[in-house]
Amino acid sequence: MSFRKVVRQSKFRHVFGQPVKNDQCYEDIRVSRVTWDSTFCAVNSKFLAVIIEASGGGAFLVLPLNKTGRIDKAYPTVCGHTGPVLDIDWCPHNDEVIASGSEDCTVMVWQIPENGLVSPLTEPVVVLEGHTKRVGIITWHPTARNVLLSAGCDNVVLIWNVGTAEELYRLDTLHPDLIYNVSWNRNGSLFCTACKDKSVRIVDPRRGTLVAEREKAHEGARPMRAIFLADGKVFTTGFSRMSERQLALWDPENLEEPMALQELDSSNGALLPFYDPDTSMVYVCGKGDSSIRYFEITDEPPYIHFLNTFTSKEPQRGMGSMPKRGLEVSKCEIARFYKLHERKCEPIVMTVPRKSDLFQDDLYPDTAGPEAALEAEEWVSGQDADPILISLREAYVPSKQRDLKLSRRNVLSDSRLASSSRLGASTSAATTTDASPSGSLTGAGEAGKLEEVMQELRALRILVKEQGERIGRLEEQLGRMENGDA
């Protein structure tokens, strides 16, 4: 009796991580040493922002993505806070707007010039004051314009309308202890929090009510994290009573028992989860680790499927994740992380190996675009809306190999064209020997020959287009067969 090992089919089974070359890293950045479990890094399709060491206040760097290499010590910073900056977050609806929270108890929103900073930025667009202790968590609403959430060490969650600088909601009775993180759900109608009292809470911010609560989601005393997934489930990271790091998946309808619970290892760094709703993948990075583990979340048991681990030599101090619309679609890049070392930032590219160089529809479903689905006033009035999706096909740039293929096709059509014109020439030569050598007849023959060549050219163009479409279909079919979908 033969036992054959059955391997679960997944198009992400072979995803691999690769750091970029040294000249594409950001060198000589003095990453913040403040003791706070923040990512210290935020990135979008235009800029990279990193919280740095600053004397006499708090500051962060904002670099255009192409500004790689060594960063000059005199490079201008965003430096309006009077205390260290603890968290930063780019606005999902405007690539030039970033919010920051600081030990000085304020939240500031900044407008970055289109081409980056040329002088230090000290004047924020708006200052939001309402916390009585340091502000450690900043997160924008996923679908409503100008709605920003902040959470501080005063155990208060505040929701702001940045456009009018007013406080929309103050939730000050729901958390008895320090809030570790806050995560909005897909349409921004709810958010979940992980708290120092070991509870995970799901909150309706507009009603100010607790929708669901799970006490001792992870029994360990170290920091936890909780994030919403696209289907409404909650993914958490934390520690067991024996200080082993854990992952868990919860159904908000029934928080009695986790749907899945996995133990990873016994390191002591807090686990930071990064979720991609388009591929249902979760990347887990430990503070102080030198690895990124990635998992696929599915609808069938065991729900959390380990895929692989990216390992490097140096530990990470923080991590930023690029939104989907900032990735290189033509290279089958499905995620890009910006790993902070002590003195530099190193991009790490996650790629699905594919032989075809066509746009991969299955890897890139429509993703959240930069357009807000609601105005702040509509959200406050009780409306909800999913993110407005965009196709990444427009961002697809054919690779050089693709261009070579096209040029080979053109060579092929030129050779066929040349042979047909040679055929036409020999035919006309034969007819010319029979015909009388008068100038008018020769002119008419040339005009007819030109028309014949043009017709042949048009027919060949149609043929090339049809063959190109057929090759595309076959390559797509081959890709599906290789990934076990067909």
Side-chain angles (χ1 to χ4, degrees):
M1 190 174 171
S2 65
F3 289 96
R4 197 179 69 184
K5 188 178 179 185
V6 179
V7 178
R8 190 182 69 88
Q9 290 295 335
S10 168
K11 59 179 110 137
F12 304 114
R13 200 153 47 94
H14 302 294
V15 170
F16 66 96
Q18 207 168 16
V20 300
K21 292 176 181 162
N22 275 343
D23 60 350
Q24 292 174 286
C25 293
Y26 306 84
E27 303 274 355
D28 222 11
I29 296 173
R30 302 182 310 282
V31 178
S32 173
R33 294 175 175 277
V34 69
T35 53
W36 184 253
D37 279 327
S38 159
T39 58
F40 291 141
C41 180
V43 62
N44 66 16
S45 53
K46 288 179 81 169
F47 296 109
L48 164 70
V50 180
I51 302 173
I52 57 167
E53 282 288 295
S55 53
F60 58 95
L61 268 177
V62 174
L63 303 168
L65 288 182
N66 57 8
K67 174 99 179 109
T68 53
R70 187 178 166 278
I71 307 302
D72 195 325
K73 281 187 172 61
Y75 194 84
T77 59
V78 181
C79 51
H81 285 287
T82 57
V85 177
L86 299 180
D87 198 17
I88 48 177
D89 193 28
W90 287 104
C91 176
H93 309 124
N94 186 336
D95 285 344
E96 289 155 19
V97 170
I98 187 169
S100 58
S102 163
E103 281 194 10
D104 64 10
C105 308
T106 64
V107 176
M108 293 185 180
V109 180
W110 310 85
Q111 175 89 37
I112 306 298
E114 190 178 345
N115 299 315
L117 297 175
V118 289
S119 61
L121 187 58
T122 56
E123 288 298 317
V125 178
V126 63
V127 180
L128 305 171
E129 296 175 316
H131 288 283
T132 56
K133 291 187 180 175
R134 59 184 184 165
V135 183
I137 297 165
I138 297 287
T139 177
W140 291 90
H141 192 283
T143 59
R145 195 189 313 278
N146 291 342
V147 175
L148 178 69
L149 180 150
S150 64
C153 294
D154 49 8
N155 311 335
V156 174
V157 175
L158 293 177
I159 296 171
W160 309 87
N161 182 342
V162 173
T164 59
E166 65 178 315
E167 189 182 293
L168 295 176
Y169 303 102
R170 172 179 286 265
L171 308 171
D172 52 6
T173 58
L174 299 176
H175 298 89
D177 213 329
L178 180 69
I179 302 163
Y180 286 135
N181 88 302
V182 179
S183 169
W184 292 100
N185 68 350
R186 181 87 165 148
N187 65 5
S189 58
L190 304 169
F191 63 79
C192 66
T193 64
C195 182
K196 197 174 180 180
D197 67 354
K198 302 180 187 177
S199 290
V200 169
R201 294 174 175 85
I202 297 173
V203 178
D204 182 333
R206 288 170 294 196
R207 291 200 180 102
T209 56
L210 208 57
V211 175
E213 180 179 7
R214 164 69 196 193
E215 294 176 2
K216 292 192 177 175
H218 295 275
E219 300 208 340
R222 293 178 187 274
M224 321 191 302
R225 284 279 193 286
I227 56 170
F228 258 118
L229 305 186
D231 60 0
K233 294 186 177 64
V234 174
F235 180 88
T236 61
T237 63
F239 292 81
S240 70
R241 192 178 291 166
M242 308 299 292
S243 286
E244 290 170 313
R245 298 199 289 191
Q246 294 178 322
L247 314 173
L249 186 66
W250 305 84
D251 182 355
E253 302 293 317
N254 176 21
L255 289 173
E256 291 299 311
E257 288 294 322
M259 294 170 65
L261 180 69
Q262 287 190 18
E263 291 194 345
L264 291 185
D265 55 29
S266 51
S267 294
N268 57 6
L271 290 169
L272 307 175
F274 294 90
Y275 173 61
D276 178 1
D278 302 333
T279 59
S280 293
M281 284 176 70
V282 174
Y283 302 83
V284 178
C285 317
K287 262 298 186 62
D289 287 9
S290 53
S291 63
I292 302 172
R293 293 180 176 88
Y294 36 106
F295 302 81
E296 189 177 0
I297 311 290
T298 62
D299 293 332
E300 66 273 354
Y303 305 110
I304 303 173
H305 303 272
F306 173 72
L307 292 171
N308 212 334
T309 304
F310 165 80
T311 309
S312 55
K313 289 176 186 171
E314 294 196 40
Q316 55 232 13
R317 298 198 53 147
M319 192 74 76
S321 172
M322 172 67 79
K324 213 53 175 284
R325 57 194 173 90
L327 301 179
E328 287 200 49
V329 176
S330 49
K331 294 184 179 173
C332 293
E333 182 184 357
I334 60 163
R336 192 189 312 154
F337 294 98
Y338 286 75
K339 172 181 172 177
L340 299 184
H341 300 242
E342 203 161 317
R343 300 283 299 185
K344 77 169 182 178
C345 176
E346 176 187 41
I348 292 163
V349 174
M350 296 287 179
T351 309
V352 176
R354 288 277 168 99
K355 288 179 182 169
S356 169
D357 59 353
L358 295 168
F359 178 74
Q360 306 291 316
D361 293 272
D362 59 328
L363 297 184
Y364 302 105
D366 289 356
T367 191
E371 194 57 46
L374 296 170
E375 295 300 323
E377 295 74 21
E378 293 174 318
W379 181 73
V380 170
S381 71
Q383 293 184 44
D384 289 318
D386 284 336
I388 295 175
L389 303 182
I390 56 167
S391 169
L392 292 175
R393 191 180 282 275
E394 307 308 316
Y396 170 70
V397 180
S399 63
K400 285 178 182 169
Q401 293 95 323
R402 181 70 178 163
D403 292 340
L404 283 171
K405 277 192 176 179
L406 284 172
S407 67
R408 281 205 296 274
R409 273 187 212 148
N410 288 348
V411 167
L412 176 67
S413 62
D414 289 346
S415 64
R416 286 182 61 171
L417 185 60
S419 64
S420 68
S421 58
R422 277 202 302 275
L423 184 67
S426 61
T427 315
S428 63
T431 50
T432 317
T433 51
D434 298 337
S436 61
S438 75
S440 61
L441 279 174
T442 310
E446 280 180 359
K449 196 159 58 174
L450 182 65
E451 179 58 34
E452 190 182 319
V453 168
M454 292 298 288
Q455 279 180 351
E456 177 78 11
L457 184 61
R458 281 194 286 272
L460 280 170
R461 277 185 180 146
I462 292 166
L463 181 67
V464 166
K465 188 182 175 190
E466 286 172 353
Q467 292 298 331
E469 288 171 355
R470 184 161 180 265
I471 286 169
R473 285 197 299 275
L474 288 170
E475 285 181 328
E476 215 171 282
Q477 199 174 336
L478 180 66
R480 282 203 300 275
M481 287 168 75
E482 283 176 346
N483 289 302
D485 294 344

